[in-house]
């Protein structure tokens, strides 16, 4: 009976093959599609291909290209023959995967397997259907931008921490947050460049929880350029670096800029800002070593404030130690002119007070105090008239300063001198209006008030007193001559 049925089926199939170009298998009597040799249609059943073990699959002799089987043992799955080897469809653990799996791939060959494009087209990465990262056709990477101009470019519109364009975090005392190295010593291209079009910080490099002397930002160069160049046209900070660890050694530096160690050329650090070029705090807040000029400060007029400060020094003595606000030590070879501190104020209109130096307190020197008196620097030179009558109008006094009311480091105790108002009535040229400048106190977050007062040029009194002595001597010589004549006349 079975043989008869098989014979009938074969006869029907042969008849179909002989009289039809395609075959349809279905239960709705529909005609097979013209594009298919075999059209199988069902809503409740599928196609079952040959099932075998891996050993049986590899034992198939002369498999045709495209031959498919289902392997029942591991790694189970549908395999097809590509003309040279068997390949598992959707495989993640074979030597020749046809696609990348979302659960990972193994057995890949970096020489032939890759993610990318083979034509001149950019590779786009998206989340929420928005482009987040792009590798363009020129090999430039853009994060937050689809048109990167540099090899790696990060763009952000929000300067907050959550959406900062670039942020590097690291833990531990021996780790570096980032290394930026420019291998070309002959170009001026920076290893890292940060540019912000708004008024916020151009770049912030912050290091926290560090007990060693590791740097939040370290820049080193052996070329002729600067170790670090930071510039901003906005009102905020150009560069902020803070070191809070202990003073392990002199290398515990918040910012350390080193120019060429051999020749000393270039700039260790260049800082330019509208308010504070450099703000440094520490046991050794800053150290500058160079050739020619240690520190150069150029200030331009600001819109606010009464004074601008080239160097503003605030030192607070919290221990029983000696304090020096500004110390200058200059050493030179024989024959060299040496100047410890040089001050040359320029400008000042009519009535303006110009100081080369102003200090509240005593002044002590071990050398000579010299005043310019060269004849070649003077004009309208005339002999001084008799001054004895004016000298006799001076009223020397003893007095004490009101040190409790005026915090100017005025000397205490009994003093000897002249009252400026009284001297002004006799010698107005020796009395000028003085101004105590406003002095900031960063520690107390306040500034002292400006104070106007009269000052006396006691040195200008010296030639006047000399004139008086000479005048008195001439008068005495005249009296002596008269006395001798009288004595001669009376025979004494």
């Amino acid at each position: 009976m079975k043989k008869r049925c098989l014979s009938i089926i074969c006869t029907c199939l042969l008849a179909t093959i002989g009289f039809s170009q395609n075959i349809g298998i279905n239960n709705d009597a529909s005609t097979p599609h013209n594009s298919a040799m075999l059209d199988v249609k069902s809503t409740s059943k599928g196609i079952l291909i040959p099932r075998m073990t891996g050993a049986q699959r590899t034992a198939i002799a002369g498999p045709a290209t495209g031959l498919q089987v289902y392997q029942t043992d591991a790694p189970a799955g549908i395999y097809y023959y590509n003309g040279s080897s068997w390949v598992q469809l959707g495989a993640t653990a074979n030597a020749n995967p046809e696609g990348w799996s979302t659960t990972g791939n193994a057995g890949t060959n970096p020489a032939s397997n890759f993610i990318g494009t083979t034509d001149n087209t950019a590779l786009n990465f998206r989340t929420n259907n928005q482009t987040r990262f792009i590798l363009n056709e020129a090999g430039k990477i853009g994060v937050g931008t689809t048109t990167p101009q540099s090899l790696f470019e990060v763009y952000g519109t929000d300067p907050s921490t959550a959406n900062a364009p670039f942020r590097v975090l690291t833990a531990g005392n021996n780790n570096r947050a980032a290394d930026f190295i420019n291998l070309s010593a002959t170009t001026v291209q920076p290893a890292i460049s940060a540019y912000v079009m708004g008024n916020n910080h151009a770049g912030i490099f912050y290091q926290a929880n560090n007990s060693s002397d590791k740097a939040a930002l370290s820049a080193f160069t052996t070329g002729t350029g600067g170790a670090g160049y930071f510039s901003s046209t906005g009102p905020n900070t150009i560069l902020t670096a803070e070191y809070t660890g202990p003073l392990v050694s002199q290398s515990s530096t918040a910012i350390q800029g080193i120019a060429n160690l051999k020749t000393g050329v270039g700039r260790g650090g260049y800082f330019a800002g509208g308010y504070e070029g450099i703000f440094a705090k520490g046991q050794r807040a800053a150290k500058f070593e160079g050739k020619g000029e240690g520190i150069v400060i150029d200030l331009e007029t600001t819109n606010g404030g009464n004074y601008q400060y080239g160097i503003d020094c605030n030192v607070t003595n919290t221990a029983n130690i000696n304090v020096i606000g500004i110390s200058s030590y200059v050493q030179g070879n024989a024959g060299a002119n040496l100047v410890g501190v040089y001050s040359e104020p320029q400008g000042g209109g009519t009535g303006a007070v110009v100081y080369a130096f102003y200090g509240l307190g005593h002044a002590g020197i071990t050398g000579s105090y010299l005043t310019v008196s060269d004849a070649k620097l003077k004009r309208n030179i005339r002999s001084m008239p008799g001054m004895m009558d004016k000298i006799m109008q001076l009223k020397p006094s003893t007095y004490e300063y009101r040190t409790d009311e005026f915090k100017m480091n005025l000397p205490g105790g009994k003093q000897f001198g002249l009252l400026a108002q009284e001297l002004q009535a006799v010698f107005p040229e020796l009395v000028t209006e003085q101004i105590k400048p406003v002095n900031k106190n960063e520690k107390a977050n306040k500034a002292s008030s400006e104070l106007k007062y009269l000052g006396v040029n006691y040195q200008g009194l010296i030639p006047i007193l000399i004139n008086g002595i000479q005048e008195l001597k001439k008068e005495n010589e005249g009296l002596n001559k008269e006395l001798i004549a009288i004595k001669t006349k009376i025979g004494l």
Side-chain angles (χ1 to χ4, degrees):
M1 182 65 181
K2 291 182 180 181
K3 291 182 179 181
R4 177 182 289 183
C5 291
L6 182 59
S7 177
I8 294 173
I9 293 173
C10 290
T11 301
C12 293
L13 289 175
L14 290 173
T16 303
I17 293 173
F19 299 100
S20 176
Q21 296 181 352
N22 50 8
I23 299 174
I25 301 176
N26 52 65
N27 55 9
D28 60 359
S30 61
T31 302
H33 197 277
N34 291 332
S35 64
M37 290 297 298
L38 176 62
D39 185 354
V40 181
K41 184 186 298 182
S42 175
T43 58
S44 58
K45 298 179 181 180
I47 295 176
L48 188 60
I49 64 176
R51 291 143 294 169
M52 62 188 69
T53 64
Q56 293 171 332
R57 173 177 58 79
T58 57
I60 298 176
T65 300
L67 184 67
Q68 298 184 25
V69 299
Y70 180 84
Q71 182 172 310
T72 56
D73 56 351
I78 298 177
Y79 287 76
Y80 72 94
Y81 192 75
N82 64 5
S84 60
S85 62
W86 288 95
V87 178
Q88 182 181 5
L89 289 177
T92 60
N94 60 81
N96 296 286
E98 291 296 303
W100 289 92
S101 172
T102 57
T103 58
N105 296 271
T108 60
N109 183 358
S112 57
N113 302 127
F114 63 92
I115 295 178
T117 62
T118 57
D119 55 1
N120 192 25
T121 306
L123 185 61
N124 194 332
F125 296 84
R126 298 187 179 189
T127 61
N128 197 26
N129 204 27
Q130 298 291 322
T131 299
R132 311 298 185 185
F133 171 79
I134 192 171
L135 175 61
N136 69 11
E137 60 277 9
K140 297 180 178 180
I141 299 173
V143 179
T145 176
T146 58
T147 57
Q149 304 299 312
S150 305
L151 288 179
F152 183 78
E153 187 169 316
V154 181
Y155 179 78
T157 57
D158 190 342
S160 64
T161 302
N163 297 298
F166 190 76
R167 189 182 185 198
V168 178
L169 303 176
T170 184
N173 294 330
N174 298 316
N175 297 326
R176 294 180 178 178
D179 272 345
F180 302 95
I181 301 173
N182 184 359
L183 299 178
S184 176
T186 59
T187 67
V188 295
Q189 301 299 324
I192 178 173
S193 176
Y195 178 75
V196 177
M197 291 180 288
N199 290 329
N200 293 288
H201 297 73
I204 299 177
F205 299 85
Y206 181 75
Q207 183 181 32
N209 300 324
N210 189 3
S211 59
S212 67
D213 59 351
K214 304 301 179 184
L217 171 62
S218 177
F220 177 81
T221 180
T222 57
T224 58
Y229 185 91
F230 306 90
S231 177
S232 173
T233 58
N236 291 301
T237 305
I238 298 171
L239 172 67
T240 299
E242 182 176 356
Y243 175 80
T244 58
L247 186 64
V248 179
S249 65
Q250 292 186 3
S251 62
S252 303
T253 310
I255 301 176
Q256 182 173 354
I258 304 176
N260 192 306
L261 297 179
K262 294 181 180 179
T263 62
V265 298
R267 288 169 171 165
Y270 182 87
F271 303 89
Y275 179 61
E276 290 174 335
I278 300 177
F279 178 80
K281 182 188 295 185
Q283 293 189 27
R284 172 174 284 179
K287 182 180 180 182
F288 301 91
E289 296 179 355
K291 294 183 178 180
E293 295 172 328
I295 300 177
V296 177
I297 299 174
D298 294 312
L299 296 181
E300 296 181 358
T301 302
T302 58
N303 294 327
N306 294 321
Y307 289 90
Q308 291 176 272
Y309 298 85
I311 297 177
D312 183 21
C313 179
N314 291 282
V315 181
T316 302
N317 185 2
T318 59
N320 188 20
I321 58 175
N322 299 324
V323 176
I324 298 177
I326 297 177
S327 175
S328 173
Y329 175 77
V330 180
Q331 180 179 359
N333 296 326
N337 296 323
L338 305 179
V339 179
V341 177
Y342 181 84
S343 173
E344 185 181 354
Q346 298 286 339
T350 303
V353 177
V354 180
Y355 295 110
F357 170 79
Y358 187 94
L360 299 179
H362 301 287
I365 60 173
T366 58
S368 301
Y369 180 81
L370 304 176
T371 300
V372 175
S373 189
D374 196 309
K376 67 183 179 183
L377 302 176
K378 301 177 181 181
R379 63 161 59 118
N380 298 327
I381 302 173
R382 299 182 179 88
S383 299
M384 187 179 295
M387 291 291 175
M388 186 57 67
D389 291 339
K390 287 190 174 184
I391 292 175
M392 295 305 296
Q393 297 179 45
L394 299 180
K395 300 176 181 179
S397 306
T398 63
Y399 51 86
E400 294 179 358
Y401 283 108
R402 296 158 67 176
T403 57
D404 55 336
E405 298 180 44
F406 298 96
K407 308 301 181 182
M408 299 171 59
N409 286 330
L410 296 169
K414 188 177 181 179
Q415 305 294 319
F416 301 88
L418 300 171
L419 300 182
Q421 286 80 357
E422 295 179 352
L423 179 64
Q424 192 175 37
V426 182
F427 294 107
E429 301 87 351
L430 300 180
V431 179
T432 57
E433 185 179 69
Q434 307 291 297
I435 297 178
K436 184 185 88 62
V438 173
N439 183 38
K440 294 188 303 180
N441 188 330
E442 299 284 358
K443 200 74 175 178
N445 195 23
K446 64 180 181 180
S448 63
S449 300
E450 185 178 83
L451 177 64
K452 295 182 179 181
Y453 61 94
L454 296 180
V456 173
N457 179 11
Y458 278 103
Q459 189 173 5
L461 276 173
I462 295 176
I464 294 175
L465 296 177
I466 292 175
N467 179 273
I469 293 174
Q470 292 175 343
E471 187 178 345
L472 183 60
K473 186 176 184 298
K474 290 180 181 179
E475 184 177 348
N476 288 337
E477 289 176 348
L479 292 174
N480 285 334
K481 289 181 180 180
E482 291 180 4
L483 181 59
I484 292 173
I486 294 173
K487 287 182 178 181
T488 301
K489 187 176 183 179
I490 62 177
L492 294 177

